[in-house]
Amino acid sequence: KGMNVNENLGIDFTALTYSIWVHWPQDFTANQYFFDARNHGGVWFFPNYTGFNINWNNNLRYNFGGGDSDAFNGDAWPNEWVHIVAISDLDTNNTRIYVNGSNRTADAANNTLANRKVGKNFRIGTRFTDSNRFQGKMGPVHIYRSALTDQEVMQLFNAYKGRFDAQSYEDLAAQEGWS
């Protein structure tokens, strides 16, 4: 359904981490938003835009299992809960992505420093215009104004994996035939 955070969450941080558990619907279509901060000069972060499973304002573009754009097929999406963490860190001048606790940044099609603006009227699960709502399920959503470490990302995954019966990235990749 989407959620609007009316309070000012801050303008531009030196680091920003998004952590989200998602379960895609079987009839998934393009341009469904995870987060949108454009009401206050920020940026968007949503799945399956211009052929990438995850696209954070074109700075971080990632396809599950690696591969070229348009590799995603919504009908073939695993019936699994997936933990996604995306981090933009000014100190290290990069953006990282993790899937089920595993750092998959090397698989990203594009990886440049992303905008870290959040501000007012931050949207979760919908576009700032209240369209393109994420139609799947979302679990715990965490947003940090810091860059989590590899160990902290793994702790987040481990803290909830039993609740969602989630597999490690390696097991999920083997099941789905990802490279």
Side-chain angles (χ1 to χ4, degrees), residues 4-10 118-122:
N4 184 36
V5 180
N6 292 318
E7 296 175 22
N8 190 340
L9 299 177
V118 179
K120 298 177 185 176
N121 298 318
F122 182 76

Side-chain angles (χ1 to χ4, degrees), residues 44-60:
W44 42 260
F45 175 60
F46 58 97
N48 207 26
Y49 177 73
T50 63
F52 291 94
N53 302 157
I54 304 299
N55 189 336
W56 184 354
N57 201 48
N58 291 318
N59 296 99
L60 176 65

Side-chain angles (χ1 to χ4, degrees), residues 86-99:
I87 302 169
S88 181
D89 186 358
L90 183 62
D91 290 339
T92 59
N93 198 35
N94 73 10
T95 303
R96 296 176 280 149
I97 188 162
Y98 297 77
V99 177

Side-chain angles (χ1 to χ4, degrees), residues 9-16 90 116-119 144-146:
L9 299 177
I11 302 301
D12 197 7
F13 304 109
T14 58
L16 187 63
L90 183 62
R116 292 154 318 283
K117 291 184 179 181
V118 179
Y144 302 90
R145 54 184 185 188
S146 63

